[in-house]
Amino acid sequence: MKFALQRRPLGSGRKAVAFVSWSCLLHTTTLAMTVVPKNVVVVGGGVQGTSVAYQLALRTPASTTITILESQQPASAASGKGGGFMARSWGDGSPTQGLHELAFDMYSDLAQTLGCESYRKLPVLSVSPGYNGMKAARKNKDLAKIIPGWLDGTVGRVGSMGGGEDTAQITPQEFVEKMLEHQSRIQVVLGTCWGVETDQGSERGSRKVATVEYNPKENPAEKKLLPADTIIVSAGPWSCAAEDWFHGAVQLPMEGIKSTSIVWKKPEGNDVDATALFCGEDDRFGTHLEVYPRPDGTIYICGIGGSDYVSKEDLKEGAFREICEANELRVAAAKASFQEMSSVYKTSGELDRSQACMRPCPPDAMPYMGSVPGYEGAYINAGHNCWGIAWAPACGKAMAELILDGESRCVNLTPFDPARYTPDAQRGTRGRKQRGNNVGEQW
Ligand SMILES: Cc1cc2nc3c(=O)[nH]c(=O)nc-3n(C[C@H](O)[C@H](O)[C@H](O)COP(=O)(O)OP(=O)(O)OC[C@H]3O[C@@H](n4cnc5c(N)ncnc54)[C@H](O)[C@@H]3O)c2cc1C
């Protein structure tokens, strides 16, 4: 399925299912904790992992250590290269609707608390590639108000997808950096996780997380351990490797969809009006552009077409984690497609950068959020597809509630059970390793 098709308002799902409860809206950070973890390790420093760490830091005492174990740099993957678009009511009425709504509301507060300059609400237009559409669009007063100055080339039909009440944007890298700055007790360790050691759990046959095994970035041949009574695997598409860390107790089918995006420099002397575009399929170039002008005057564009599909086996090997390069043919197609719509950028537009990143896609397009069966202190928060930035604050809050209170009240996590693809007979089966030693199934 194509990227752009997934990220548009679908059907009449506007208000169909709201999983955000009133108790959540009243929930404050002062709730009594039922569990006080000693050492939390979050694997993955993208927007999802950092949001979980941030929400845990809000609710745990200073004695709880919170470590993000990040293979490259925080926000170095999709969380640094994604668009950062969010839409409160664009869910499809499925269980993810509640994530859209809660996160959208949390973002406006968080952006203020953290001082994120890249956050703003903005209107959205739908634009068909083609000719002679602008004359009719300008005759519609409401539409004319939100047509950006830079949309001055040839376009087909133009329509409104929202006046900016329930659509917004944030540059995800800034958001991640600001969360880390604000909660300075979250420490970031650079290294790649490759396993989890356990002790016997409190229930017969269960296991308790004891340490996280990793190779430090500065010396990948070295093996190091981080003490952990709680681990949250939030490593984007690469989270499927946790199948092996938990010895098959949870199956995490995953595909990585790798796409190119481009960023235009702010044009000299021109203001860049704040209206986002969702463009129809442009058969001339094979694109279906999503255009997000940012508050710093740059314009981010994805929906460039020609994405690559990366298999679970390759993801487990770390494919495209360290190096993920733009497809130059798609860069050229995106430039040409956008320049048809904007004579300003056709004559004087300059690219700031081109890049590529992967979105994490479970087969049912629903995230994996919950605990690992048969393990104490082991959680997955991954596979957020094309909405991982938009949903991040809600996911962080829901996971913090699950870890500290034993259940999430703000989001119903049942549909996101990480073990939903795990055959019953395999769920939480006892592993074979205790503190590095092979112990078979017998302990
Ligand atoms: C082109 C594009 C545009 C997008 N635009 C939007 C948008 O506008 N709005 C929106 O909501 N979403 C958007 N998305 C989706 C969004 O970017 C992702 O859903 C989101 O960034 C996923 O965040 P994450 O933290 O789960 O994963 P990632 O950002 O992929 O972060 C995972 C991190 O884990 C680290 N890691 C991996 N394996 C290990 C390991 N073994 N040990 C330690 N660290 C590890 C990686 O280095 C990485 O930093 C877009 C995606 C793409 C591809």
Side-chain angles (χ1 to χ4, degrees):
M1 199 184 300
K2 283 204 172 131
F3 183 82
L5 293 178
Q6 292 190 335
R7 219 223 305 264
R8 291 175 191 220
L10 295 173
S12 56
R14 252 182 101 85
K15 301 220 162 31
V17 185
F19 275 91
V20 183
S21 69
W22 285 106
S23 67
C24 168
L25 298 176
L26 299 172
H27 175 77
T28 70
T29 56
T30 55
L31 278 178
M33 287 179 292
T34 51
V35 173
V36 181
K38 265 200 207 133
N39 299 302
V40 177
V41 174
V42 181
V43 180
V47 70
Q48 284 289 335
T50 308
S51 293
V52 176
Y54 179 85
Q55 293 292 333
L56 284 171
L58 287 180
R59 292 198 47 203
T60 48
S63 56
T64 297
T65 70
I66 302 178
T67 305
I68 291 178
L69 176 59
E70 164 53 49
S71 173
Q72 308 301 312
Q73 286 294 330
S76 53
S79 301
K81 294 171 185 156
F85 178 74
M86 60 190 88
R88 192 176 195 282
S89 55
W90 282 27
D92 58 0
S94 78
T96 58
Q97 184 81 43
L99 294 174
H100 278 282
E101 292 168 4
L102 175 59
F104 192 87
D105 297 343
M106 288 176 74
Y107 258 120
S108 67
D109 292 341
L110 273 171
Q112 212 172 359
T113 306
L114 302 175
C116 292
E117 289 171 7
S118 62
Y119 172 83
R120 68 178 171 193
K121 292 191 170 174
L122 82 175
V124 186
L125 291 176
S126 68
V127 176
S128 319
Y131 304 93
N132 305 323
M134 198 49 92
K135 212 167 156 192
R138 290 205 188 282
K139 281 190 188 148
N140 176 330
K141 273 194 198 146
D142 290 336
L143 212 52
K145 273 193 265 175
I146 58 171
I147 293 174
W150 45 265
L151 189 62
D152 60 350
T154 56
V155 293
R157 208 166 58 81
V158 179
S160 174
M161 295 175 81
E165 304 77 30
D166 71 350
T167 44
Q169 68 181 161
I170 195 158
T171 300
Q173 179 152 9
E174 187 199 20
F175 181 54
V176 169
E177 286 169 359
K178 286 279 166 71
M179 280 191 285
L180 292 174
E181 247 173 66
H182 206 253
Q183 284 296 343
S184 52
R185 82 188 171 88
I186 302 174
Q187 62 152 345
V188 177
V189 169
L190 296 185
T192 302
C193 177
W194 56 269
V196 176
E197 289 190 345
T198 54
D199 287 334
Q200 189 144 7
S202 57
E203 281 174 30
R204 197 177 146 73
S206 75
R207 291 125 55 86
K208 193 168 67 180
V209 172
T211 47
V212 172
E213 303 165 306
Y214 74 103
N215 303 121
K217 187 164 192 278
E218 77 279 2
N219 181 13
E222 195 185 348
K223 290 180 176 176
K224 286 185 108 173
L225 299 176
L226 280 169
D229 54 12
T230 305
I231 178 176
I232 302 103
V233 179
S234 207
W238 301 279
S239 301
C240 54
E243 287 183 353
D244 302 332
W245 307 345
F246 299 114
H247 306 284
V250 65
Q251 295 295 304
L252 302 166
M254 186 81 80
E255 187 166 49
I257 302 187
K258 175 174 162 284
S259 311
T260 293
S261 54
I262 60 173
V263 182
W264 293 95
K265 280 186 183 165
K266 180 182 187 325
E268 294 254 337
N270 278 323
D271 280 343
V272 178
D273 292 338
T275 296
L277 309 185
F278 274 67
C279 304
E281 200 71 37
D282 187 341
D283 296 329
R284 297 165 298 182
F285 306 103
T287 56
H288 42 272
L289 301 185
E290 295 179 20
V291 181
Y292 305 126
R294 287 178 161 165
D296 64 1
T298 60
I299 294 187
Y300 173 96
I301 297 184
C302 62
I304 285 176
S307 297
D308 298 314
Y309 294 76
V310 183
S311 71
K312 182 171 91 172
E313 290 66 37
D314 289 345
L315 291 168
K316 280 186 173 185
E317 297 297 316
F320 302 110
R321 186 166 49 204
E322 201 175 339
I323 299 169
C324 189
E325 285 173 343
N327 175 338
E328 288 308 322
L329 290 175
R330 301 322 301 160
V331 171
K335 280 176 71 177
S337 179
F338 184 62
Q339 284 174 327
E340 287 296 316
M341 294 190 282
S342 175
S343 69
V344 179
Y345 283 83
K346 194 168 198 165
T347 51
S348 56
E350 233 186 293
L351 276 199
D352 183 61
R353 61 187 182 278
S354 54
Q355 58 200 4
C357 62
M358 253 192 296
R359 63 190 162 95
C361 301
D364 57 2
M366 299 247 260
Y368 297 125
M369 293 171 64
S371 50
V372 177
Y375 282 77
E376 290 169 24
Y379 302 87
I380 312 285
N381 174 53
H384 300 86
N385 211 309
C386 59
W387 287 114
I389 300 160
W391 294 341
C395 300
K397 181 169 177 149
M399 292 303 297
E401 287 183 354
L402 176 66
I403 293 161
L404 303 178
D405 307 327
E407 66 171 327
S408 160
R409 274 151 303 149
C410 68
V411 176
N412 175 8
L413 294 180
T414 313
F416 311 140
D417 181 2
R420 64 187 180 275
Y421 289 105
T422 312
D424 280 351
Q426 213 176 319
R427 280 179 184 224
T429 47
R430 289 198 277 167
R432 296 158 199 86
K433 216 172 162 199
Q434 184 185 29
R435 290 213 178 265
N437 301 317
N438 288 325
V439 291
E441 299 289 342
Q442 304 310 315
W443 59 282

